Amino acid sequence: MLELLKSLRKIYEMSYIFITHDIQTAAYLCDRVMILREGRIDEIAAVEQLKDVKSAYARKLLQMVIT
């Protein structure tokens, strides 16, 4: 399914709002990731720059899921 979404995005030059709790899937499919905390935007980062997020919450969250 993810491959299909990725292919359609490229073929039709589309954008998605992809809502998930799976950061690795979001990083695979998306160009940018928005991290929410308590219903508010905590951080927005390009996938290539996820290792350099500024907020402590985003760093902690990413450390827990990305090996």
Side-chain angles (χ1 to χ4, degrees), residues 33-47:
V33 173
M34 177 188 301
I35 297 172
L36 301 175
R37 181 179 182 194
E38 297 178 1
R40 300 197 176 183
I41 298 171
D42 190 69
E43 182 104 23
I44 299 174
V47 170

Side-chain angles (χ1 to χ4, degrees), residues 12-54:
Y12 295 108
E13 299 179 4
M14 326 173 41
S15 296
Y16 292 117
I17 295 176
F18 187 74
I19 300 170
T20 184
H21 289 267
D22 187 342
I23 294 174
Q24 291 175 322
T25 300
Y28 173 75
L29 185 61
C30 304
D31 297 322
R32 289 179 291 166
V33 173
M34 177 188 301
I35 297 172
L36 301 175
R37 181 179 182 194
E38 297 178 1
R40 300 197 176 183
I41 298 171
D42 190 69
E43 182 104 23
I44 299 174
V47 170
E48 300 83 24
Q49 297 176 335
L50 282 175
K51 65 184 181 308
D52 301 320
V53 292
K54 294 179 175 62

